[in-house]
Amino acid sequence: MGKPLIHRSPMPGLGLSMGVTLTMLSLVVLLPIGALLWKGANFGISGIWDTVNRERVWAALFLSFRLSLFAALFNLVFGMILAWVLVRYRFAGRRLLDAAVDLPFALPTAVAGIALTALYAPNGALGSLAAEIGWKIAYTQWGIFVALVFVGLPFVTRTVQPVVEEIEAEVEEASATLGASRIYTLRRVVLPMLAPAALTGFALSLARAVGEYGSVIFIAGNIPLKTEIAPLLIVIQLEEFNYDAAAAIGIAMLLISFGMLLVINLIQVWSRRRIGYV
Amino acid sequence: MSDASLTKFRSAREETPLARYALIAVAVLGLGVLVAAPLIAVFVEALAQGWLAAVASLGNHDAASAIKLTLLIAGVSVPLNAAFGIAAAWFITKFDFRGKAFLITLIDLPFSVSPVVAGLCIVLMFGTNSLVGGWLVASGYPIVFALPGIVLATMFVTFPFVARELIPVMIEQGRAEEEAALTLGASGWRTFWTVTLPNIRWALLYGVLLCNARAMGEFGAVAVVSGKIRGQTATMPITIEMLYNEYLSVAAFSMAAVLTLLALVTLMLKTALEIRHADALAATHRH
């Protein structure tokens, strides 16, 4: 006999807690996602392919995933610097800086969207500065990049910070005693320890950016083939009551995001095994 | 051991002063441009025509109904998600069963689904064209383009917030205290109210705080399911979009400023919790 499905326990409330958990999970998350997949199944693989395989849809998907990747990479580097600075250095305003990192989580995306647009539009405070060197930010792909960096900013910092706090002094000291330069220690000793957490933050930041809508649509300009993101395309299809097409693009986005997360998870498993540090 | 050797040993964990100042400068400058500047922009734009214009724009009927609607949605969806979070954390941490990791993955699923896709899922499930939705509309209970749909969409995107805060804390605390209470004859509910809840209250508050901030600010999922009916299904973020697209900049940014103040209060409470009750929160929030 294998393991029982649920072990016997003296704890009360099994039925109630399991019932509430599974009912709400089904009603709020699983059934709606099931409805999307069901719609896709009825529409058929060829139907989905015909919808997705159009220049405008490919352009939107490619734009969303490419800019999300760039934004997540930027956040990976900046987030690690931020985590290091916040944990290791003591300076005036550190607490304020630490709290400010979470603002993108707390600020509604629509608010972030119009604020970033006001700031980076050609007549905005930062946009006019950029315009002087001929750099257009709002209503171009740069604007989308800025918005995606904003929404994904906290992830890497928040996953890496606790790991930096845990690093034992001996590890770096041993490296230094053995003659390694500071740069070498950071690169070969510290960085590998931070890598799994940083990768988790990177994946979260990427997933968030790919699906982001509110902060992007104001600053993007939304020009088909140029600055139109994939989630906007779904909204446009829905507004035209074109449910099949909306479902097809939605399923394509789901599949690509899950595929990316799977790859990142595999890299993570591999890096943990290679480095032997969890 | 002389002081000099001690100082030298310490510096093995430090970068050169130049590198240190450069990194701090990068951090301060980066957060200044990326975070502080948009924050200031909201208030500058809201007050572009003075206090009176800003406050007056919040007083009209549509603005008032948007504020009421947003409060109502948060008031319904946040307690429901808190109840779910407690139930899920209890189920996951107090019992041993197969497929636990899979269940946690499913609970986390909404974090990797685009809010627009979440809204789409709810439209496909409960819209007039669907089996369930058609029947509900015929019976006079429309879900999509009405309050229940907005609540469902909000619950979808905030689904993991409370559970994620509680699960690590309850794993760390173990089951010994509850087992002791039960052995001494306390009922299941009494054990929960007097033993478990006091242990998890700060983590619960932390989760509720983040859940509420997201619930009041959700845009993408709500934009899809709400139908954006002015005065009826337009929440605060949706109203901001409508005002902005009508070039009513002061009105849009005034409402944005209200939500920004809410975000700042959320951040302050969150930071206060992290400082004062660090030991009662999940390990990742202790700093």
Side-chain angles (χ1 to χ4, degrees):
Chain A
M1 295 297 283
K3 283 196 302 178
L5 193 61
I6 299 176
H7 286 269
R8 279 215 261 180
S9 162
M11 283 290 164
L14 173 64
L16 180 66
S17 64
M18 185 169 73
V20 171
T21 305
L22 297 183
T23 308
M24 286 187 70
L25 181 65
S26 307
L27 207 65
V28 177
V29 179
L30 299 183
L31 283 175
I33 290 181
L36 172 66
L37 299 178
W38 177 250
K39 188 85 182 167
N42 279 343
F43 196 32
I45 290 177
S46 62
I48 294 177
W49 179 251
D50 287 344
T51 308
V52 174
N53 193 18
R54 276 185 296 191
E55 197 189 1
R56 190 171 170 191
V57 180
W58 277 129
L61 285 171
F62 185 56
L63 178 77
S64 276
F65 284 93
R66 184 166 44 103
L67 289 179
S68 299
L69 194 68
F70 291 158
L73 283 172
F74 178 91
N75 279 332
L76 180 68
V77 176
F78 183 59
M80 286 178 81
I81 293 175
L82 213 51
W84 190 260
V85 166
L86 289 174
V87 175
R88 284 297 175 90
Y89 304 154
R90 291 292 169 268
F91 52 95
R94 186 183 63 93
R95 276 265 177 218
L96 189 69
L97 217 59
D98 199 346
V101 172
D102 278 330
L103 188 81
F105 279 166
L107 198 68
T109 53
V111 176
I114 61 171
L116 289 171
T117 311
L119 211 52
Y120 290 100
N123 58 356
L126 296 174
S128 56
L129 283 180
E132 276 178 28
I133 53 167
W135 186 17
K136 267 192 79 180
I137 299 179
Y139 317 123
T140 69
Q141 297 190 0
W142 280 107
I144 304 178
F145 174 76
V146 168
L148 295 180
V149 164
F150 179 85
V151 294
L153 187 70
F155 289 104
V156 173
T157 310
R158 289 309 182 222
T159 49
V160 170
Q161 232 172 341
V163 185
V164 177
E165 275 164 6
E166 301 267 293
I167 297 175
E168 307 273 352
E170 289 85 346
V171 184
E172 285 163 74
E173 285 160 4
S175 171
T177 320
L178 293 170
S181 70
R182 186 63 191 152
I183 297 275
Y184 190 85
T185 305
L186 285 177
R187 194 161 61 84
R188 298 300 297 267
V189 179
V190 174
L191 198 60
M193 288 199 264
L194 305 183
L199 216 56
T200 305
F202 172 78
L204 290 170
S205 166
L206 185 64
R208 175 71 202 261
V210 165
E212 182 55 27
Y213 175 71
S215 57
V216 176
I217 51 160
F218 296 101
I219 202 169
N222 305 327
I223 306 158
L225 303 177
K226 284 190 183 142
T227 57
E228 189 175 59
I229 55 166
L232 176 66
L233 220 48
I234 297 179
V235 173
I236 291 174
Q237 300 295 342
L238 277 175
E239 278 170 359
E240 292 165 3
F241 300 104
N242 202 345
Y243 292 122
D244 284 339
I249 302 166
I251 287 174
M253 276 187 68
L254 270 189
L255 289 180
I256 301 175
S257 321
F258 289 159
M260 278 193 326
L261 288 181
L262 192 71
V263 170
I264 289 167
N265 267 331
L266 289 177
I267 296 174
Q268 212 160 19
V269 169
W270 171 79
S271 79
R272 283 205 172 128
R273 203 171 289 157
R274 202 178 85 102
I275 297 158
Y277 186 91
V278 179
Chain B
M1 192 188 271
S2 73
D3 278 1
S5 70
L6 196 70
T7 331
K8 201 170 179 209
F9 200 60
R10 278 257 174 84
S11 70
R13 288 192 86 199
E14 279 177 0
E15 288 74 47
T16 60
L18 189 67
R20 232 166 30 219
Y21 290 131
L23 286 177
I24 293 176
V26 167
V28 172
L29 212 71
L31 280 183
V33 170
L34 286 169
V35 175
L39 199 63
I40 296 164
V42 171
F43 292 105
V44 169
E45 296 285 332
L47 300 176
Q49 291 167 20
W51 279 97
L52 289 175
V55 175
S57 76
L58 292 172
N60 76 50
H61 176 73
D62 287 347
S65 92
I67 293 172
K68 257 185 252 167
L69 181 65
T70 290
L71 290 175
L72 177 66
I73 287 159
V76 176
S77 56
V78 174
L80 280 174
N81 268 359
F84 164 78
I86 293 171
W90 183 273
F91 179 48
I92 284 166
T93 62
K94 301 299 177 199
F95 299 100
D96 298 304
F97 53 90
R98 269 192 280 168
K100 196 181 272 191
F102 183 61
L103 179 63
I104 295 176
T105 308
L106 287 182
I107 292 175
D108 277 344
L109 198 61
F111 276 164
S112 35
V113 174
S114 166
V116 169
V117 175
L120 169 69
C121 289
I122 286 163
V123 170
L124 292 177
M125 171 106 192
F126 294 108
T128 26
N129 292 356
S130 74
L131 206 64
V132 192
W135 176 71
L136 282 168
V137 169
S139 330
Y141 297 103
I143 304 267
V144 172
F145 305 147
L147 185 69
I150 306 177
V151 169
L152 265 178
T154 306
M155 285 182 67
F156 186 107
V157 294
T158 56
F159 201 66
F161 274 102
V162 177
R164 271 177 82 99
E165 293 304 324
L166 293 184
I167 291 169
V169 170
M170 284 172 70
I171 286 177
E172 210 172 301
Q173 280 166 353
R175 302 172 192 171
E177 289 184 34
E178 281 86 359
E179 278 162 358
L182 292 164
T183 317
L184 292 170
S187 69
W189 279 114
R190 181 145 186 229
T191 306
F192 173 75
W193 286 112
T194 56
V195 177
T196 310
L197 198 60
N199 277 337
I200 61 168
R201 61 185 168 185
W202 298 116
L204 179 63
L205 185 62
Y206 193 93
V208 164
L209 209 59
L210 296 183
C211 184
N212 179 59
R214 181 71 196 265
M216 289 196 165
E218 178 51 30
F219 179 73
V222 174
V224 171
V225 299
S226 78
K228 301 181 183 174
I229 307 163
R230 207 177 281 268
Q232 280 180 41
T233 63
T235 61
M236 288 173 77
I238 300 293
T239 306
I240 290 173
E241 186 204 17
M242 296 200 291
L243 294 169
Y244 186 83
N245 287 343
E246 288 158 14
Y247 302 103
L248 295 169
S249 173
V250 167
F253 278 99
S254 299
M255 189 157 285
V258 175
L259 284 177
T260 307
L261 287 176
L262 173 81
L264 290 176
V265 170
T266 303
L267 279 189
M268 275 195 283
L269 291 174
K270 182 177 159 300
T271 309
L273 277 177
E274 280 164 4
I275 294 172
R276 296 191 57 176
H277 300 285
D279 51 333
L281 297 179
T284 43
H285 304 308
R286 294 170 193 161
H287 46 259

